[in-house]
Amino acid sequence: MAENKGTKKTDFKTRCQTTWKDMVKYRWLYFLLIPGILFFAIFKYVPMGGLRIAFMDYNQYNPAKSTWVGLDQFVKLFSKASFLPVLRNTVVISLLKLIIGFPIPVILALMMNEMRSLKFKKVSQTLLYLPHFISWVILAGIIMTLLDPDNGLITQLIYNLTGERVMVLTSTKWFVPMLIVTDIYKGMGWGTILYFAAISGIDPQLYEAASIDGAGKWKQMLNITLPSIVPTIVVCFIMNCGNILNAGFDQIFMLYTSHVYEVADIIDTYVYRMGLINSDYSFSTAAGMFKSVVAFILIVFVNNVAKKTGNEGLY
């Protein structure tokens, strides 16, 4: 036991020394991390002090008069009949976005990697990246114009094909599919960046050897490109699983109405209404904290599963 403890201390000391040497050697690269570290420290970690509100009956007019209530806010959260449909909607929308939307950037990256015209490839990449830089405020306005029941371009197209006027934005049947399609449209181009970076790191000699052996582009993609980017795909999948309860507040808040609360009301919009509109800050903080805890558990679980199946995890 004493030898194991001594070995662990030595290993830890060695790792610390190695890390410090790397930081000194690549100090300018580490210097570039400072803005990111400051961002997370100021906007992610400092606000964690406010989580104590979830265990209090918070008085927003006089915080000093707030009283500790323990887990009462969480009991209240799970006992509310309105919360379970909200949780169901969040999980359903997030899973649909993950299942349908996650493979698309991978497929796009693989397809665009095989483009022969470099100029066409760059133009295509630029056009695919553009929607990512359009805020949901602007994009929601465009979507509402296209789906206008009377004059919308897409609505008119559907009417010409089916003879029906579909009111997508107020339909419980079509609202969620519209969310999935628009979310994929906005994020698929930006999602290819990591995969392009992973593809660029593949040794060109592998393709040359495969070409000499008679392998065509399709077999090269399946046997070289795809297996080489699997670690990147796994890491991205783990990160996306951590966002399983983030169904997209900006998108839904800009597009939904009371007509589709039944299928589109999610935890984030629920927290917004309970916290800012109803001024129940303790209850909304408890709901937000529940979402964060679930995300943390999912990341740890999926990461362990990935490592046990022979893939690289986040840590």
Side-chain angles (χ1 to χ4, degrees):
M1 290 291 292
E3 288 182 5
N4 289 335
K5 288 183 179 179
T7 304
K8 288 181 179 179
K9 286 183 179 180
T10 304
D11 291 342
F12 178 74
K13 186 177 180 181
T14 303
R15 286 198 300 269
C16 289
Q17 290 175 346
T18 304
T19 302
W20 176 250
K21 287 179 181 178
D22 287 341
M23 291 179 69
V24 172
K25 184 177 180 180
Y26 303 107
R27 55 187 176 278
W28 296 114
L29 292 177
Y30 280 96
F31 182 77
L32 295 174
L33 291 174
I34 292 176
I37 292 172
L38 289 175
F39 171 82
F40 279 97
I42 295 170
F43 296 104
K44 302 294 182 180
Y45 288 99
V46 172
M48 283 186 181
L51 291 176
R52 66 183 185 276
I53 296 174
F55 304 96
M56 303 168 68
D57 184 7
Y58 185 69
N59 186 333
Q60 64 267 31
Y61 302 107
N62 189 353
K65 292 185 178 180
S66 301
T67 56
W68 290 92
V69 295
L71 298 175
D72 286 0
Q73 297 295 344
F74 293 93
V75 173
K76 179 182 174 183
L77 175 67
F78 292 110
S79 61
K80 266 189 174 290
S82 59
F83 179 70
L84 291 180
V86 166
L87 178 61
R88 181 200 65 214
N89 293 340
T90 306
V91 173
V92 168
I93 293 172
S94 296
L95 282 177
L96 286 173
K97 286 183 176 181
L98 179 64
I99 294 169
I100 300 172
F102 181 77
I104 290 179
V106 180
I107 296 168
L108 263 179
L110 292 171
M111 291 173 63
M112 294 180 69
N113 184 57
E114 301 300 329
M115 288 183 178
R116 295 183 179 181
S117 173
L118 186 60
K119 186 176 181 180
F120 181 73
K121 181 179 177 180
K122 288 183 177 180
V123 172
S124 300
Q125 284 179 307
T126 303
L127 292 175
L128 285 170
Y129 294 162
L130 279 178
H132 174 79
F133 297 100
I134 302 175
S135 71
W136 274 115
V137 177
I138 298 171
L139 197 57
I142 296 171
I143 292 168
M144 286 189 283
T145 302
L146 293 173
L147 296 176
D148 183 89
D150 298 320
N151 303 310
L153 179 62
I154 295 177
T155 307
Q156 288 295 329
L157 181 62
I158 295 172
Y159 177 73
N160 292 334
L161 293 174
T162 64
E164 296 181 13
R165 290 202 177 275
V166 181
M167 300 180 69
V168 177
L169 296 174
T170 56
S171 169
T172 55
K173 178 182 178 182
W174 295 108
F175 189 81
V176 172
M178 181 274 297
L179 290 178
I180 308 303
V181 171
T182 53
D183 183 74
I184 290 171
Y185 166 75
K186 190 176 189 297
M188 63 182 180
W190 187 254
T192 61
I193 289 179
L194 283 175
Y195 303 119
F196 278 131
I199 290 171
S200 66
I202 301 173
D203 189 350
Q205 293 182 359
L206 294 174
Y207 293 105
E208 293 174 5
S211 181
I212 292 170
D213 290 338
K217 289 293 184 181
W218 177 253
K219 288 187 177 180
Q220 289 179 26
M221 183 181 69
L222 290 180
N223 297 297
I224 298 176
T225 310
L226 188 57
S228 297
I229 65 172
V230 163
T232 305
I233 294 173
V234 171
V235 170
C236 291
F237 182 74
I238 293 170
M239 297 297 291
N240 283 337
C241 285
N243 291 322
I244 202 70
L245 292 185
N246 288 329
F249 171 76
D250 293 344
Q251 178 194 21
I252 295 175
F253 183 72
M254 293 296 165
L255 292 170
Y256 85 150
T257 61
S258 57
H259 296 89
V260 291
Y261 274 3
E262 180 186 341
V263 295
D265 196 19
I266 60 172
I267 292 177
D268 289 330
T269 55
Y270 185 71
V271 167
Y272 169 80
R273 287 202 312 279
M274 298 302 294
L276 295 181
I277 297 178
N278 297 344
S279 299
D280 194 347
Y281 297 110
S282 295
F283 180 80
S284 60
T285 304
M289 188 174 181
F290 162 74
K291 189 182 78 168
S292 300
V293 170
V294 171
F296 175 75
I297 292 171
L298 281 172
I299 286 178
V300 173
F301 174 74
V302 177
N303 184 73
N304 288 335
V305 171
K307 291 176 75 174
K308 286 181 180 179
T309 54
N311 294 294
E312 293 183 11
L314 287 174
Y315 54 88

